[in-house]
């Protein structure tokens, strides 16, 4: 059976390149996250840890595995080669010191983006399985992403907000701010499917950083409490990163956005 092959990268011998034959798993959901990857050849599929449904396919230039730097520190999904592929492995230790020295606002935004990507993958999986009815995204105490959500909820440096209704939520997002829900119920509508969002749900964070309009409708089901992520502040911190780390963070932002979203910044 084909196996992973790790060898020094010809382009950058200080880093390793991993050859991933078609059908071979690079990592599985729940694994410890200790490296970020960039696709240099082929195509890598990202699969839900619950059902195994594919939620994304990544080609040359795409980065993935950002949880190794900040956020859950464990894989939220599995990665497997759709066709023979090569990926560049970047150990977290090479980038984590820069992350630690970056703006706290950026690290907070990174946490929120990690949750937004988890939320997007959940809804993509729900739709791909042909499920009917209302999807419900809630982060229980033992769920993937719960540690990240707790870190945001308990961050006393973040501004809290009370959102009374849908108009208030839309005004907030249009002003360039995203929200991580800490109480109440929100919702998003995608491809005709409504997804209810509880604590840990994210609305408008990637969109506010990318300065783009979401193609997904959002609403307030019951009044919300949340913490605010200022998109422009996070973007200005993003601009100060090195080229390598900037590419990793950009990859996370783009993947957290709705498909077919046009961004003025990325």
């Amino acid at each position: 059976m084909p196996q992973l092959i790790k060898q020094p990268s010809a382009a950058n011998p200080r880093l390793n390149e991993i050859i991933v034959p078609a059908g071979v798993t690079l990592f599985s959901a729940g694994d410890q996250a200790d490296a970020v990857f960039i696709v240099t050849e082929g195509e890598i599929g990202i699969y839900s840890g619950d059902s195994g449904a594919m939620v994304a396919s990544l080609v040359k230039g795409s980065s993935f595995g950002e949880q190794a730097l900040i956020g859950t520190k464990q894989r939220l999904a599995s990665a497997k080669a759709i066709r023979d592929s090569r990926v560049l492995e970047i150990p977290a230790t090479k980038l984590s010191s820069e992350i630690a020295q970056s703006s706290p606002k950026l690290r907070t935004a990174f946490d929120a983006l990690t949750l937004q990507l988890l939320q997007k993958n959940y809804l993509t999986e729900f739709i791909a399985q042909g499920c009917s009815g209302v999807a419900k995204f809630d982060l229980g105490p033992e769920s993937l992403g719960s540690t990240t959500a707790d870190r945001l909820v308990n961050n006393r440096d973040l501004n809290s907000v009370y959102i009374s209704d849908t108009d208030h939520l839309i005004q907030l997002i249009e002003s360039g701010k995203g929200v991580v829900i800490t109480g109440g119920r929100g919702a998003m509508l995608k491809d005709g499917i409504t997804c209810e969002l509880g604590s840990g749900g994210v609305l408008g964070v990637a969109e506010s950083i990318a300065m783009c309009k979401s193609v997904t409708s959002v609403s307030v089901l019951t009044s919300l409490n949340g913490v605010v992520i200022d998109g422009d502040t996070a973007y200005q911190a993003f601009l100060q990163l090195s080229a390598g780390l900037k590419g990793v963070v950009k990859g996370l932002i783009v993947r957290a956005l709705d498909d077919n979203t046009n961004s003025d910044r990325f």
Side-chain angles (χ1 to χ4, degrees):
M1 182 175 179
Q3 300 290 324
L4 297 173
I5 299 174
K6 183 181 291 190
Q7 60 190 27
S9 167
N12 188 343
R14 293 177 299 176
L15 299 175
N16 284 324
E17 175 186 68
I18 302 177
I19 300 173
V20 192
V24 172
T25 297
L26 178 62
F27 59 73
S28 299
D31 287 354
Q32 180 182 358
D34 56 7
V36 177
F37 301 94
I38 298 175
V39 182
T40 58
E41 183 180 311
E43 184 177 9
I44 299 291
I46 305 299
Y47 299 84
S48 164
D50 294 326
S51 69
M54 188 170 73
V55 295
S57 63
L58 307 175
V59 294
K60 184 176 180 179
S62 299
S63 63
F64 60 103
E66 299 86 356
Q67 293 79 23
L69 299 178
I70 197 170
T72 64
K73 297 293 185 179
Q74 63 182 145
R75 301 300 182 193
L76 301 180
S78 300
K80 182 169 64 175
I82 295 174
R83 49 195 170 94
D84 290 348
S85 302
R86 293 173 183 258
V87 299
L88 187 67
E89 180 186 47
I90 307 175
T93 53
K94 288 187 174 293
L95 297 174
S96 56
S97 61
E98 184 179 353
I99 281 282
Q101 295 170 17
S102 67
S103 164
K105 299 293 185 183
L106 181 66
R107 297 199 300 272
T108 297
F110 205 118
D111 272 345
L113 287 165
T114 297
L115 293 180
Q116 188 168 355
L117 180 58
L118 181 63
Q119 175 181 294
K120 177 187 176 183
N121 288 348
Y122 164 77
L123 185 54
T124 299
E125 176 189 3
F126 187 90
I127 294 171
Q129 289 183 303
C131 298
S132 59
V134 176
K136 294 185 178 182
F137 180 81
D138 285 288
L139 292 178
E142 302 300 324
S143 63
L144 290 175
S146 60
T147 301
T148 302
D150 288 344
R151 187 162 50 243
L152 288 166
V153 169
N154 296 320
N155 189 333
R156 303 304 178 190
D157 294 328
L158 292 177
N159 291 326
S160 298
V161 64
Y162 171 78
I163 302 173
S164 57
D165 54 35
T166 298
D167 287 343
H168 185 187
L169 173 62
I170 292 173
Q171 289 172 6
L172 187 70
I173 293 174
E174 288 181 345
S175 72
K177 296 177 174 61
V179 179
V180 180
I181 298 171
T182 59
R185 304 290 292 180
M188 54 189 290
L189 178 67
K190 179 179 180 181
D191 296 340
I193 297 293
T194 297
C195 181
E196 291 188 11
L197 306 174
S199 183
V202 180
L203 295 165
V205 171
E207 291 80 2
S208 67
I209 299 173
M211 202 166 71
C212 63
K213 183 176 177 61
S214 175
V215 298
T216 300
S217 299
V218 299
S219 60
V220 173
L221 301 179
T222 64
S223 56
L224 300 176
N225 291 304
V227 293
V228 176
I229 307 295
D230 185 278
D232 194 58
T233 299
Y235 180 70
Q236 294 305 316
F238 163 81
L239 293 178
Q240 304 306 311
L241 299 175
S242 67
L245 189 53
K246 190 180 293 183
V248 170
V249 177
K250 177 182 176 181
L252 178 58
I253 294 169
V254 170
R255 287 191 290 117
L257 289 170
D258 293 321
D259 298 334
N260 303 317
T261 298
N262 295 316
S263 168
D264 293 333
R265 287 175 167 169
F266 299 106

